[in-house]
Amino acid sequence: MNKIITIGREFGSGGREFGKHLAEELGFAYYDEEIVSAIARRSELAESYVSQVLEHRIQTYYPITVANTLSLHHGDAVYAVTGSIYAAQTEILREMAEKSDCVIVGRCGDYILSQFQPLRFFLYADMPSRIARCRAKGEDNRSRTDRELERNIRSVDRSRAQYYRFYTGQAWGDRHNYDICLNATNLNLKAAAQAIAILVRRGPLEQPEQ
Amino acid sequence: MNKIITIGREFGSGGREFGKHLAEELGFAYYDEEIVSAIARRSELAESYVSQVLEHRIQTYYPITVANTLSLHHGDAVYAVTGSIYAAQTEILREMAEKSDCVIVGRCGDYILSQFQPLRFFLYADMPSRIARCRAKGEDNRSRTDRELERNIRSVDRSRAQYYRFYTGQAWGDRHNYDICLNATNLNLKAAAQAIAILVRRGPLEQPEQ
């Protein structure tokens, strides 16, 4: 069975950076939520594109920008659309997991891929460091106040929590749904990824000795 | 400044085992909550004993069995007793942290030693594995039913949460109070300790790269 790593994360906590470092350290394929969503949305239109993506391990980071599926606002239609996307991405995530070792950020990967016994991470951080990270990462965010950024961060987190709850019936961020939760506030994410890579290579999920 | 590692943990999750593995890997002193409490309680009686303990790095695990301070039931007196023990152990924890690199299990170490910027762990696990661990560890527990053990586990957790809340004003087990939370249900604690030891040696608490 392939080694699968899933990463849930608070918005602005550095989950994607951590995932990239980890994939790089391990030589695993890396898929983030935008990639998975984009593939799912395009899958009906461009089967060939999907297979192309699935044939190759995605080590580089695709410049795909897609509208967040949850930002659609057409009443009940939203459920139909996100529902079919969820079904498509469930299938795609499983195909990815069967194809090769991989790191998957977001998209309820921990839940959808439970049969693969993934090593499940959750990244979090305190609000000041998340605000600082958002400002550093997004050009549009440079001119926004701390209060505006905080409002946006909380709103994205709420969406993630709702999405996760809707599709898994579980509480997003509840430690019992994850194997390792990392506070990125002060943690050196690259050093953490290097250490975790060693753990992954050794096989972390064995029954502890009694 | 010495490197300090603190470990909070759900009862029966393997926090002590993890702490021992980590101390062993790193060559750090190891103090668990019974040791700290015992020192605190005896400190007025036997200064020489305390200094002896503090002079030497405790690598072996002292066979000290002490009554849990929270199991006293004398009304207000409890607060006086636990209060003075808390004060004594605060002082002792700080002396330990100043003396050498160390791993400290329990006793609000994360909070009391915040000035030392400890790497703060929280260990947890699902109920079936905690019940199994309690049964494997305690001779008295072999004949007890799952239900009895679960009741005991929940009761100890409640005491820990109350103690932590009382002295720190923070929520016990809230991920934001810890740097790394580990789910010991399926994790190989020795392998995890080996990986974490590498992280500790490299200096985990640096600002992540932006």
Side-chain angles (χ1 to χ4, degrees):
Chain A
M1 195 153 67
N2 290 324
K3 287 184 179 171
I4 311 301
I5 290 168
T6 63
I7 301 177
R9 70 282 178 245
E10 290 182 346
F11 185 64
S13 70
R16 194 178 298 195
E17 283 80 348
F18 175 72
K20 283 179 189 173
H21 284 311
L22 199 50
E24 214 168 273
E25 283 296 324
L26 289 162
F28 282 18
Y30 170 88
Y31 306 104
D32 75 22
E33 66 164 357
E34 278 81 356
I35 295 168
V36 177
S37 295
I39 296 170
R41 297 183 72 189
R42 290 178 189 191
S43 57
E44 286 168 49
L45 298 170
E47 286 288 351
S48 64
Y49 172 79
V50 177
S51 11
Q52 192 187 327
V53 168
L54 293 176
E55 299 285 307
H56 300 86
R57 292 165 54 150
I58 303 183
Q59 279 290 4
T60 49
Y61 315 114
Y62 276 50
I64 297 167
T65 49
V66 293
N68 186 319
T69 53
L70 290 173
S71 71
L72 295 166
H73 291 293
H74 304 298
D76 291 348
V78 173
Y79 289 102
V81 172
T82 57
S84 84
I85 288 176
Y86 182 81
Q89 84 192 354
T90 294
E91 205 177 320
I92 286 161
L93 279 179
R94 292 191 178 143
E95 283 176 41
M96 286 165 165
E98 267 158 23
K99 208 82 183 171
S100 74
D101 297 335
C102 59
V103 173
I104 291 167
V105 178
R107 303 289 92 183
C108 309
D110 54 299
Y111 180 82
I112 291 173
L113 299 178
S114 58
Q115 76 213 72
F116 294 87
Q117 294 174 271
L119 186 63
R120 303 159 302 167
F121 286 85
F122 188 81
L123 272 272
Y124 60 100
D126 70 10
M127 189 52 74
S129 74
R130 293 163 72 192
I131 289 172
R133 180 177 288 273
C134 286
R135 189 167 282 129
K137 294 284 173 190
E139 285 210 14
D140 294 353
N141 291 334
R142 305 253 154 85
S143 59
R144 295 169 80 187
T145 64
D146 281 7
R147 214 175 142 185
E148 286 171 323
L149 289 173
E150 178 168 346
R151 204 179 302 134
N152 183 49
I153 287 168
R154 292 197 189 281
S155 155
V156 175
D157 275 2
R158 261 197 308 279
S159 294
R160 287 182 179 173
Q162 280 166 4
Y163 183 88
Y164 189 84
R165 164 76 74 186
F166 186 81
Y167 287 113
T168 72
Q170 299 177 160
W172 179 76
D174 176 342
R175 65 176 179 262
H176 291 283
N177 300 328
Y178 310 97
D179 297 298
I180 300 179
C181 304
L182 292 175
N183 186 341
T185 306
N186 297 309
L187 213 59
N188 178 327
L189 290 181
K190 192 168 180 178
Q194 287 168 338
I196 297 291
I198 291 163
L199 182 62
V200 173
R201 282 193 211 101
R202 285 186 192 167
L205 296 177
E206 295 163 21
Q207 206 53 36
E209 292 146 37
Q210 295 293 341
Chain B
M1 195 152 68
N2 291 324
K3 287 183 180 172
I4 312 301
I5 291 168
T6 62
I7 301 177
R9 71 282 178 246
E10 290 181 346
F11 185 65
S13 70
R16 193 179 297 197
E17 283 81 347
F18 176 72
K20 284 179 188 174
H21 284 311
L22 200 50
E24 214 168 272
E25 282 296 324
L26 289 162
F28 282 19
Y30 170 88
Y31 306 104
D32 76 22
E33 66 165 358
E34 277 82 356
I35 294 169
V36 177
S37 294
I39 296 170
R41 297 182 73 188
R42 291 178 190 189
S43 57
E44 285 168 50
L45 299 169
E47 286 288 349
S48 64
Y49 171 77
V50 176
S51 8
Q52 193 188 325
V53 168
L54 293 176
E55 299 285 306
H56 300 86
R57 292 164 54 150
I58 304 182
Q59 281 290 4
T60 48
Y61 314 113
Y62 276 50
I64 297 167
T65 49
V66 294
N68 187 321
T69 55
L70 289 174
S71 70
L72 294 166
H73 290 293
H74 305 297
D76 290 348
V78 173
Y79 289 101
V81 172
T82 58
S84 85
I85 288 176
Y86 183 80
Q89 85 192 353
T90 294
E91 207 177 318
I92 285 162
L93 280 178
R94 291 190 179 144
E95 284 176 40
M96 285 166 167
E98 267 157 23
K99 209 82 183 169
S100 73
D101 298 334
C102 59
V103 173
I104 291 166
V105 178
R107 305 287 91 182
C108 309
D110 55 297
Y111 179 83
I112 291 172
L113 300 177
S114 58
Q115 76 213 72
F116 294 88
Q117 295 174 269
L119 185 63
R120 303 160 301 168
F121 286 85
F122 188 81
L123 273 272
Y124 59 101
D126 69 12
M127 188 53 74
S129 75
R130 294 162 72 192
I131 289 172
R133 182 177 288 274
C134 286
R135 190 167 281 129
K137 294 284 172 190
E139 285 210 14
D140 294 354
N141 292 333
R142 303 255 154 84
S143 59
R144 295 170 79 188
T145 65
D146 281 7
R147 214 175 143 186
E148 286 171 323
L149 289 173
E150 178 169 346
R151 204 180 301 134
N152 182 50
I153 287 168
R154 293 198 188 280
S155 155
V156 175
D157 275 2
R158 262 197 307 279
S159 294
R160 287 182 179 172
Q162 280 166 3
Y163 183 88
Y164 189 84
R165 164 76 75 187
F166 185 81
Y167 286 114
T168 71
Q170 298 177 160
W172 179 77
D174 176 342
R175 64 177 180 262
H176 291 283
N177 300 328
Y178 310 96
D179 297 299
I180 299 178
C181 304
L182 293 175
N183 186 342
T185 306
N186 296 309
L187 214 59
N188 179 327
L189 290 180
K190 192 168 181 181
Q194 286 168 339
I196 298 290
I198 291 164
L199 181 61
V200 173
R201 283 193 209 102
R202 287 186 190 166
L205 296 176
E206 297 164 19
Q207 205 54 35
E209 293 146 36
Q210 295 293 337

